[in-house]
Amino acid sequence: MKKFYISLLGSALLSIVVLGWLIDAFSQQTQTPHDEFSLQSQMINGFSKHLGSVATSERANYVKQLANDFNVKLDYKPNETLALPPSLILQMHTQSGLILEDQQGFYMLYSNEVLSPYHLTMRLEKGLETDQRNDIILTLLFYAGLCIFMGFIIAPLAKRLTVLNEAAKKFAAGNVQARIKVSHFTYIKDVELTFNRMASQIEKLVAENKLMASSLSHDIRTPIACLRFGLDAALDTSDEKKVKQYLSRMENDLDHMESMLKSYLAFATLEKNANQLTYSQTNLSHYLEDLLAQLAPKIETSKLKIQLNSSNDLVCADLHWLARAITNLIGNACDFAKAHIYVSAKRDEHYLYITVEDDGPGISPENFNNVFSPFFREESHRNRADKSYGLGLAIVAKVADWHHGNVSVSKSSQLGGACFTLKIGQHHDS
C-alpha cells in the first residue's frame, strides 16, 4: 500500500504543477495586458502629441475636453503625486506606458519629455464577460486534466480491487482454493499476497478439521464397541470375577478414549501457538544433550543405543516447541528402531538442520509426503504405535512451519531405516 500512497501523492503533485504551468503559459500568451490594451496605448500617445502643441497652463483644460470628446476617463497630473519606484517611473516613459491594476480595474500611466514633469492617466475598460469566460474555461481545463492524470493512477487500482473482490466472492461461496494471481504492476501487492496467505491458511485449517472429524469418528468406534461388548457381557454374567474383569477392560477402554480425545483436542488448538513463539538462544550441543538425558528412560527401556553428533553453534528458536519437535522425532525412532538411533545437528547462515535416523523398517517412499499429515499412520505401523494417533509427526511439521522451515523424510544411508531431517529458520541474529 505504501507504493500506492506514494504514487497517488506524486501523481497529484506532478499533475498540479504541470497543469498549472501549462495554463499559466497559455494565459500569458493569450491575455497579456499590453496586447489587450494596444488601442488605448495608441490613443494616449496621440493625446500626448496634441498636448505638445498646447501651452502648459492650458493643458489641464485641454485634457478635460479630450476626455469629453473621446468619452474616456483621462487625467493630467504631476509626477510627484505618484508613489512609484524609479523602475516603474522609467517604464511610464516607454512607448506602451505603464499599466497598473487596482480594485476598479486597469489604468495606464504615460509621460514623455514633452509632458514631464506631468503624466497622463487613462482608465482602461476591460471586457469582464470575456475575462470570466476565460477563467471558467481555464478552471474546467485544470480540473479535467487533473481527473485524467488521476484516472491513470486509479484505474489500475480499481482493476486489482475488482480481482480481489471476485476472489473473495469465490472464497466466500465455498471455493477454498480461490487465489489471486499477483501482478507485478499493482499498488496492492501486499494486500493480494496477504489474501493468498490467509486463504491458504483457512484451506489448511478446514482440511485438518475435516480430517480430524473423520479420523476421530473412525478411531473412536473401536473403544466404543469394546465398551458395548464389555457392558453387555457384564450384564449377562452372574460371575463376580468375570464382572470385575469386564469392568477392568472397560476402564482401559475409557482411558484409551480419554487419551485419544485429549490428543485430538490438543492438536485442534495447536495453531493458536503460532503467534506466541518466544525466541531465545542456546548452545546446540548442550541443548540436544539435555533432551537426550530427558529421554534416557525410554531409550533404556527400549534397549537402544543412541549416538549424537552436533556442532557447538548458537541457535535461535522457540526452545520449548523445538524440543517438542525433536523429542517427537526421537520418540518416533524409539518406537520403530531395532537397536540404533543416530542424531546429528548443524547450522549454516540461514537454517538449523537436525537429522534423526534409525535402523527400523523405515517409511514407504509413496508415503514420504503423507507421513506428516495429521492422523496418518502406515498400516504396518498401527499396532506398534497405538497411542500416537498419527499426530506426532504432524506436530513436528507445524513447529517447522512456525519457524519458517520444513521437515522431510528419506531412507537412512547408514542405518537403513527412516531418516527425518528437521530444518529450522535462523532469521534472527544469533
Side-chain angles (χ1 to χ4, degrees), residues 33-34 41 44-45 79 82 84-101 107-112 119-120:
H34 287 288
S41 179
I44 204 168
N45 274 277
N79 293 343
L82 297 174
L84 295 176
S87 59
L88 294 181
I89 295 293
L90 291 176
Q91 188 175 345
M92 188 175 64
H93 288 77
T94 60
Q95 182 70 21
S96 57
L98 174 63
I99 298 176
L100 299 176
E101 185 178 10
Y107 61 94
M108 181 181 293
L109 302 178
Y110 180 79
S111 182
N112 54 26
H119 67 274
L120 290 175

Side-chain angles (χ1 to χ4, degrees), residues 282-296 308:
T282 189
N283 180 279
L284 179 58
S285 179
H286 295 164
Y287 178 69
L288 293 177
E289 288 174 358
D290 291 340
L291 289 181
L292 292 180
Q294 296 173 17
L295 293 170
L308 173 63

Side-chain angles (χ1 to χ4, degrees), residues 63-77:
V63 168
K64 291 180 180 179
Q65 183 179 348
L66 289 174
N68 291 330
D69 292 342
F70 290 89
N71 194 24
V72 295
K73 296 179 180 180
L74 190 66
D75 289 324
Y76 181 71
K77 299 179 179 179

